[in-house]
Each structure stands twice: as structure tokens, then as C-alpha cells.
Amino acid sequence: MTSPDDSSDVLVAVSRVLSKVLRHEPEMVGVRLDANGWADVNELLTKIQRAKHSAGAPKRLRSLPDINLEFLREVVAKNDKSRFAFSDDGRRIRAVQGHSVAVDLGYASLEPPEVLFHGT
């Protein structure tokens, strides 16, 4: 699929598209997210492939390699910020943070401390 020299660039490119689709714009490839932000893995892979070959596809899609389940697992495992998670059965995938679309990730609501620092 890629040479060793450019594999990290390809992983980053795929990760960026996944972030866009699973956090902000599922309609970019026509995938459906459930109420908890999960997408069916097979549907996601099929629709990314279809979208990247469609007329008018954005460059970020057209430039992607073909993505299979093994490669998707590699992208998720090697993501430096752990942005994605597979369901326990491995049949669904979601972004774990930073959504601009309405999803319920099921995280408990906590009261922030009196003083809160952000590391950026």
C-alpha cells in the first residue's frame, strides 16, 4: 500500500479524514452515526471508498489509499492522541472526543475543579 518512508504520512492523512467524518461531517462520505457517535465499520470503509471515487470528491478523499479493516485498525492503534475507538465487538468505530455533531459519548458529567489548567 505504501512505502516505509511515507507510511506515517498516510496514517496521518487517513486519521484526518476519519476525524472529519466521525467528529464533524459524517455526510462527507454518507455514513450514519448513531446517538452515541458509533459508525458501522464495514459501512464506513465502503462509503469512504465510494466517496473518494465520486465526481467532485475533495482532494483529501481522492488522495487516500484504499483502506481495509487491517489498515483502519493500524490507524486507530497508532493515532498519537487516541482519537478513535472500536466497540468491544470490533464492528463499530467512533471518535472519542471533539465532536461538533450531537452525540452522547456516555461520559459522566463532572463538576470542574475551582482552578483548572489547560496544557496548550
Side-chain angles (χ1 to χ4, degrees):
M1 181 177 309
T2 62
S3 70
D5 296 337
D6 63 2
S7 63
S8 65
D9 291 342
V10 173
L11 289 173
V12 169
V14 172
S15 176
R16 286 183 178 156
V17 168
L18 284 178
S19 286
K20 184 75 167 172
V21 170
L22 296 176
R23 293 168 65 187
H24 307 296
E25 208 175 313
E27 65 276 5
M28 179 177 169
V29 297
V31 73
R32 293 173 314 221
L33 303 181
D34 72 10
N36 303 113
W38 294 107
D40 179 89
V41 170
N42 290 328
E43 178 187 8
L44 177 67
L45 292 172
T46 299
K47 292 202 171 178
I48 287 174
Q49 187 67 15
R50 186 177 300 144
K52 77 180 221 165
H53 292 294
S54 67
K59 183 179 179 184
R60 74 176 75 187
L61 279 176
R62 289 191 322 263
S63 62
L64 291 180
D66 290 341
I67 304 168
N68 59 26
L69 181 56
E70 179 183 334
F71 190 74
L72 182 63
R73 289 187 190 281
E74 183 179 357
V75 170
V76 171
K78 292 184 176 179
N79 185 269
D80 62 342
K81 295 183 181 175
S82 301
R83 287 188 170 105
F84 314 105
F86 283 104
S87 60
D88 290 339
D89 64 6
R91 294 171 50 189
R92 297 175 299 154
I93 186 172
R94 73 177 179 183
V96 298
Q97 62 191 11
H99 293 79
S100 62
V101 294
V103 296
D104 178 6
L105 297 176
Y107 298 146
S109 199
L110 300 173
E111 191 68 33
E114 189 174 313
V115 177
L116 182 64
F117 295 94
H118 191 278
T120 56

